[in-house]
Each structure stands twice: as C-alpha cells, then as structure tokens.
Amino acid sequence: MKLHCMILGALLLLPLAGCSSTVKTSAIDLRTFIGCAVREFTFLAKKPGCKALRVTTDACWGRCETWEKPVLEPPYIESYHRVCTYNETKMMTVKLPKCAPDVDPFYTYPVAIRCDCDICSTATTECETA
C-alpha cells in the first residue's frame, strides 16, 4: 500500500522530496531545491454570486523526503512520507467585486508564514491514500 498525500485547494501545495526551510524561493534555484519553502502563488478567488478576483499570496512549495521498503512482517512495507505543508499561517480577507446584493463579498484565505515537511494533516490539507 502506498501513501500519497495530495495537497489541493485554493492554495496549491505540491508534495514532492527534503525538509524544512523558510527561505523565500526567489532567492533559490527551484529546479534543484530540496526542502519546503514559502513561495509566491497567484489564484482566482471565487464564490457564487461574485466576480472572480486574482489574488497573489504566499503558499508552501517544495520536495520532501519519502520512501518505502519491504519488511517481512505485516503490513509487509515500512513507509515514510512527508509533504510540504503549512507550519504557520495568517488569514487575509479581500472583497470580491460585483457581488449580488444578497452575497457576502468577503473572501478569506490563508497566507503561508512558515512551511515544513511533515505528515499529511487533514486539518489543513486534503490527504489521499491509495
């Protein structure tokens, strides 16, 4: 059985292979970076009844160590899987344009302050196993 953690949602978190760092990624080479860092990310904030708004924020991005090895006892595999995920966040709110009169125009989203390689937590991340 393989454990795959996929990070989905308004802020895209990419599970890949390394450990923690709080370095802004503009200062490092993303092609060779191993670890987990805060990176600028742009997404469309949307809700029914309002126009979408392009928002630029900070999100977690990186590659974290992951491995599996066979063992003789059930479940016959030992695994270690970490994903690049939020360690510390703050919440920001924007006002969406041209909302219908009965729709709350405010949209709240997390901003990454610090990111780390950690186990996939369903409190902050959509985790999948296969």
Side-chain angles (χ1 to χ4, degrees), residues 5 11 49 57 64 121:
C5 293
L11 297 178
T57 186
C64 300
S121 168

Side-chain angles (χ1 to χ4, degrees), residues 41-61:
F41 176 76
T42 301
F43 70 98
L44 277 178
K46 317 186 233 188
K47 69 164 51 173
C50 296
K51 292 277 190 180
L53 178 69
R54 188 171 302 277
V55 174
T56 298
T57 186
D58 288 331
C60 296
W61 181 93

Side-chain angles (χ1 to χ4, degrees), residues 16 21 23 49 72 74 78-79 85:
L16 299 167
S21 176
V23 179
L72 296 175
E78 182 180 338
S79 62
T85 190

